[in-house]
Amino acid sequence: MAETVLQTPAPRAAVQRMHAYHPPLSGRQGLRLDFNENTVACSPRVLEALGRIAASDLARYPEREQVETKVAQHLGLKPEQVLLTNGVDEAIHVLCQTYLDRGDEFLFPTPTYSMYEVYGSCTDAAVKTVPSREDFAFPVEALLAAITPQTRLIAIASPNSPTGTVASREQILQVLHRAPQAVVLVDEAYYHFCGQTVMDLAGQVPNLVVARTFSKAYGLAGLRLGMLAAPAGIQQWLRTVISPYSVNSLALACLPAALDDEEYLGWYVDEVKAARSEMVESLRRFGVPQWPTQANFVLVKIGPRHAEFVQAMHRRGVLTRDRSKDQGCDGCVRMTVGTREQMKQAVAAMTEALNEIGWKRA
Ligand SMILES: Cc1ncc(COP(=O)(O)O)c(C=O)c1O
């Protein structure tokens, strides 16, 4: 028998064209203002729920139905309109896998959440982006103009990351009506810090899908929990594609406790909103340009020395995120807002870091 020379197989052409996405996955020590997580903890009730898990519970495959019913009740939806996911990231992935074929277009404004591009480019469809103007307001006219009969999926993060700006209900409705052939994802990952929502339309408008995450205000980023609200006619296909066990038993055991502790959620959200006002005021005093934010972070313009600023903050124990490579974000850094106490630490570090880079008011 002739000896076969073994070779490493190449991935699909679409995957070969993708840019690798490398978020820092280790060594995030200090005050973590780089990933818009809850900067304190989840509700103590979640830990109690974890403590009640028996070894035999882990021996079974996860059962998500009851928890989906609970989430549906919490949001005023029907159980068949709710899909729990392994974070909103999985939800985006499943939407791309379900709706995007060769020749289709996935449309979204930029700058925005990186995973739309990642999961979109992983399909055979075309990723089509609409750049925002300098004020980062939702570019509704440009987005409407970019819709074609091939547009099959549209993503709108509201509040958006990394900008913190929102799309109004009227603007979202305009997009929904202009693109009846497309599924429109409204990603409300930062809803709690803003309060504006279209969740009440979920299940009513046939092409609307609304996403929420438990990674931000609820402080459960490590458990990987997100959800999609959509009409049963959409959910039926998403359930065909999604792994039935992608939300694990620990996450499912914890979610009801997190939902029930509204007091904890309320405390954290109020704390962040108060800290955000103080942070905005401090930035104004420093003369650092910023964009009006409705989320638990703020995007600031540091200018050419942005990388040195991020390092100077890091040396002082505060992690921030350099966003200068995002569309229109040259020289920009994003900082998560935590509690008022934590923001005092961040502002102290910022005073020194700005000094170090020779910051001069415009
Ligand atoms: C707009 C937006 N959507 C979704 C996510 C991801 O959420 P999850 O942790 O649930 O995957 C993020 C995380 O930063 C985000 O900024």
Side-chain angles (χ1 to χ4, degrees), residues 87-89 113 116 157 161 187 189-190 213 215-216 224-225:
V88 169
D89 280 357
Y113 183 48
Y116 302 149
S161 174
D187 182 347
Y190 300 101
T213 182
S215 299
K216 309 295 179 187
R224 310 304 301 128
L225 264 172

Side-chain angles (χ1 to χ4, degrees), residues 166-205:
V166 296
S168 73
R169 188 185 182 85
E170 291 68 31
Q171 291 170 330
I172 292 169
L173 282 168
Q174 273 181 289
V175 176
L176 284 160
H177 284 99
R178 184 69 65 88
Q181 75 289 3
V183 165
V184 179
L185 165 68
V186 180
D187 182 347
E188 296 187 349
Y190 300 101
Y191 154 73
H192 294 92
F193 308 106
C194 151
Q196 186 182 306
T197 182
V198 288
M199 187 59 92
D200 55 301
L201 301 177
Q204 315 295 318
V205 179

Side-chain angles (χ1 to χ4, degrees), residues 35-36 86-90 92 112-113 115-116 157-161 187 189-190 212-216 221 224-226 297 334:
F35 275 84
N36 305 338
N86 187 279
V88 169
D89 280 357
E90 188 194 29
I92 302 162
T112 194
Y113 183 48
M115 297 312 283
Y116 302 149
S158 182
N160 187 29
S161 174
D187 182 347
Y190 300 101
R212 293 268 179 96
T213 182
F214 296 92
S215 299
K216 309 295 179 187
R224 310 304 301 128
L225 264 172
F297 54 83
R334 192 189 66 195

Side-chain angles (χ1 to χ4, degrees), residues 21-98:
Y21 173 58
H22 292 298
L25 294 176
S26 63
R28 292 175 58 225
Q29 302 303 329
L31 179 54
R32 291 186 297 265
L33 305 184
D34 49 348
F35 275 84
N36 305 338
E37 296 149 315
N38 176 313
T39 54
V40 180
C42 63
S43 148
R45 289 209 217 164
V46 168
L47 281 194
E48 286 163 26
L50 270 179
R52 286 192 294 272
I53 290 173
S56 59
D57 293 334
L58 295 187
R60 283 206 307 255
Y61 280 104
E63 294 179 10
R64 56 164 77 198
E65 208 173 279
Q66 255 191 348
V67 187
E68 279 176 345
T69 303
K70 164 113 189 162
V71 173
Q73 276 164 358
H74 190 82
L75 294 171
L77 296 161
K78 297 191 183 119
E80 63 271 24
Q81 295 169 337
V82 169
L83 179 70
L84 282 177
T85 58
N86 187 279
V88 169
D89 280 357
E90 188 194 29
I92 302 162
H93 196 187
V94 168
L95 280 166
C96 288
Q97 292 301 313
T98 308

